[in-house]
Each structure stands twice: as structure tokens, then as C-alpha cells.
Amino acid sequence: FIKLYYILQKNLQGSYTMDLESARLKAREHNQEQLFRFSAELSQEEKEQLTADIEEINFEEVSDFWRQEQKNTAVEEREPIKMQPVPPEACGSVLRDKDKIKMWERI
């Protein structure tokens, strides 16, 4: 039903521009609701960009790539890796560290 809705909207409007709720439905159809986790905090312009980005995603193709990769990857390689925070000494900001700014300018 949702795919039919997209097709009808595109045919009726020529170049279809998805609204936020339609983008949410498309994402939900592909179990990607997390894309909207912080949508309430976005500005109108950011919501429009999110909607445009989701409109361009071919979720079927992405899912096919994922399934193919899972078939090609050994089971032991698919085990989840426990991520650790990046150590503080590996983080920094060129804008906050004036000595590093000078170093980068010399390079």
C-alpha cells in the first residue's frame, strides 16, 4: 500500500517531493525508524534535508547489499564488536589548541 502511495504521488505531482510523514513511513517500512530519533529537535530546513535524503535512499538495494555481505562473511567475523570510547589523548580541536594551529599551519 505504501509503495502504491509513493507511485501515485509521484505520478500526480511530476517530481515528487516527500513530506516528513511520508519519509517516516518509508523508513518504518524498512525498519529504519531510528533515522527520526531526533527529528523533533531539527529546524524546518534540517527536516527538509532529512526528508530529501531519505527520499533518495533505495532501501531495497541497501538491504540486498547487506544480505549479500552477510552471506559472504564468515559467522565468526559477524560477531558484534564491543566499541570503546576514543581515548582523550586521541581527541582534540584545532580551534581550541593554539599550539596545534601553528603546527598545522607549518605543514
Side-chain angles (χ1 to χ4, degrees):
F1 173 73
I2 293 172
K3 288 181 184 179
L4 178 60
Y5 173 77
Y6 295 142
I7 293 167
L8 289 173
Q9 288 295 326
K10 192 168 191 171
N11 288 337
L12 292 173
Q13 296 178 351
S15 96
Y16 173 63
T17 301
M18 185 177 280
D19 63 20
L20 189 64
E21 196 53 40
S22 296
R24 191 183 306 273
L25 288 171
K26 180 181 179 182
R28 184 177 303 136
E29 182 180 78
H30 299 283
N31 298 315
Q32 298 299 316
E33 296 95 336
Q34 75 277 4
L35 297 173
F36 291 89
R37 184 172 177 192
F38 299 103
S39 64
E41 299 171 24
L42 299 176
S43 69
Q44 185 59 36
E45 184 178 322
E46 291 167 326
K47 288 177 183 178
E48 290 169 4
Q49 184 61 55
L50 175 63
T51 300
D53 290 345
I54 290 172
E55 184 176 20
E56 293 179 14
I57 296 172
N58 183 336
F59 285 108
E60 290 87 7
E61 185 177 39
V62 172
S63 294
D64 289 343
F65 287 142
W66 172 254
R67 280 190 289 279
Q68 188 61 41
E69 183 59 31
Q70 291 300 298
K71 288 179 188 174
N72 295 336
T73 306
V75 173
E76 59 275 1
E77 291 177 13
R78 281 190 260 147
E79 295 299 319
I81 298 170
K82 291 187 178 183
M83 296 180 69
Q84 299 293 319
V86 176
E89 62 273 6
C91 298
S93 170
V94 175
L95 300 175
R96 289 181 293 213
D97 190 340
K98 302 299 179 192
D99 293 331
K100 287 198 178 188
I101 290 175
K102 291 178 184 184
M103 179 188 80
W104 287 110
E105 286 173 346
R106 283 183 270 147
I107 295 177

